[in-house]
Amino acid sequence: TQLLEQSPQFLSIQEGENLTVYCNSSSVFSSLQWYRQEPGEGPVLLVTVVTGGEVKKLKRLTFQFGDARKDSSLHITAAQTGDTGLYLCAGRMDSSYKLIFGSGTRLLVRP
Amino acid sequence: DTGVSQNPRHKITKRGQNVTFRCDPISEHNRLYWYRQTLGQGPEFLTYFQNEAQLEKSRLLSDRFSAERPKGSFSTLEIQRTEQGDSAMYLCASSFQVQGYEQYFGPGTRLTVT
């Protein structure tokens, strides 16, 4: 059973479209991180959210942490081909420093 | 700051052989983590160190796996008597205690067991 569920698993969109990726859990996390991963490379950290209800923006990317700290979303505005990749959410619980990852959302932005 | 480095990037080995991977964390980062990622999945936690102390191990880390961080700097992950199921990407990450939450990953070592 996956502790963090990501949806959708795959997403193929046209350049310029908007999209939202979801990360859901029944567990409470003390912090949640979003990463992007290219094939054959390690995940690259995009953002960390810590406070329930927190919203962070990184250029065209908007990240939100749910009020109850059980879920998060990533919204991309006007997607570009360079946004193509695997998007991973990862949560940390109070009891440990390890990250628990979702299975990822594979995004393809077509020109 | 050169980031987290891992060596080798790729390793092909025959079943039953032993392999060792190395991770060099970002300098001044006192926490170091090992994860394993199989195709189509997110990374899974294996173990982590704070300085030279190994503080947490996953049940995924069978007796054939051992990790060390002898001087609190670089770390090694050894797999003995490799099995085909060990084929995966092995990722190392590091973080700085004061900053707390953020883990920075290396490029990974891709292991293929034939």
Side-chain angles (χ1 to χ4, degrees), chain A residues 33 35 37 96-97 99, chain B residues 35 37 48 56 101-103:
Chain A
Q33 301 177 13
Y35 291 85
Q37 187 176 25
S96 171
Y97 290 103
L99 290 178
Chain B
Y35 292 83
Q37 185 177 25
Y48 100 90
E56 189 173 352
Y101 314 115
E102 300 184 335
Q103 295 183 22

Side-chain angles (χ1 to χ4, degrees), chain A residues 2 31 33 35 37 40-43 45 48 50 86 88 92 96-99 101-103, chain B residues 9 31 33 35 37 40-43 45 48 56 89 91 100-107:
Chain A
Q2 197 82 20
S31 66
Q33 301 177 13
Y35 291 85
Q37 187 176 25
E41 298 294 329
L45 180 65
T48 299
V50 177
L86 177 67
L88 294 159
R92 189 182 74 83
S96 171
Y97 290 103
K98 71 183 181 190
L99 290 178
F101 280 84
S103 56
Chain B
R9 292 293 312 275
R31 293 200 180 115
Y33 311 78
Y35 292 83
Q37 185 177 25
Q41 298 297 319
F45 171 79
Y48 100 90
E56 189 173 352
M89 174 79 93
L91 294 162
Y101 314 115
E102 300 184 335
Q103 295 183 22
Y104 296 89
F105 282 80

Side-chain angles (χ1 to χ4, degrees), chain A residues 29-67:
Chain A
F29 292 96
S30 57
S31 66
L32 195 135
Q33 301 177 13
W34 284 91
Y35 291 85
R36 188 172 80 191
Q37 187 176 25
E38 304 288 343
E41 298 294 329
V44 175
L45 180 65
L46 296 175
V47 79
T48 299
V49 286
V50 177
T51 306
E54 183 176 5
V55 176
K56 281 193 175 179
K57 292 192 175 184
L58 187 66
K59 297 183 181 178
R60 294 173 296 98
L61 278 59
T62 301
F63 304 86
Q64 184 161 8
F65 202 12
D67 290 342

Side-chain angles (χ1 to χ4, degrees), chain B:
Chain B
D1 183 355
T2 57
V4 178
S5 62
Q6 292 187 247
N7 289 289
R9 292 293 312 275
H10 304 276
K11 178 71 178 179
I12 300 174
T13 191
K14 292 185 177 179
R15 190 175 53 193
Q17 299 293 305
N18 300 342
V19 293
T20 300
F21 310 140
R22 175 177 170 129
C23 171
D24 287 87
I26 295 170
S27 57
E28 297 143 18
H29 279 194
N30 62 333
R31 293 200 180 115
L32 187 149
Y33 311 78
W34 286 99
Y35 292 83
R36 182 173 72 184
Q37 185 177 25
T38 53
L39 207 60
Q41 298 297 319
E44 293 177 293
F45 171 79
L46 292 177
T47 188
Y48 100 90
F49 293 83
Q50 181 164 305
N51 301 314
E52 64 275 7
Q54 188 173 18
L55 297 186
E56 189 173 352
K57 291 197 293 187
S58 163
R59 62 179 183 276
L60 290 175
L61 213 66
S62 75
D63 291 345
R64 297 184 298 105
F65 288 70
S66 63
E68 293 183 344
R69 195 183 183 200
K71 297 182 180 179
S73 55
F74 73 90
S75 175
T76 57
L77 177 67
E78 181 183 16
I79 308 175
Q80 296 182 328
R81 305 181 302 282
T82 52
E83 301 172 358
Q84 287 190 316
D86 297 331
S87 295
M89 174 79 93
Y90 289 84
L91 294 162
C92 175
S94 69
S95 69
F96 187 43
Q97 184 171 355
V98 173
Q99 292 170 348
Y101 314 115
E102 300 184 335
Q103 295 183 22
Y104 296 89
F105 282 80
T109 295
R110 166 75 62 190
L111 172 67
T112 302
V113 182
T114 62

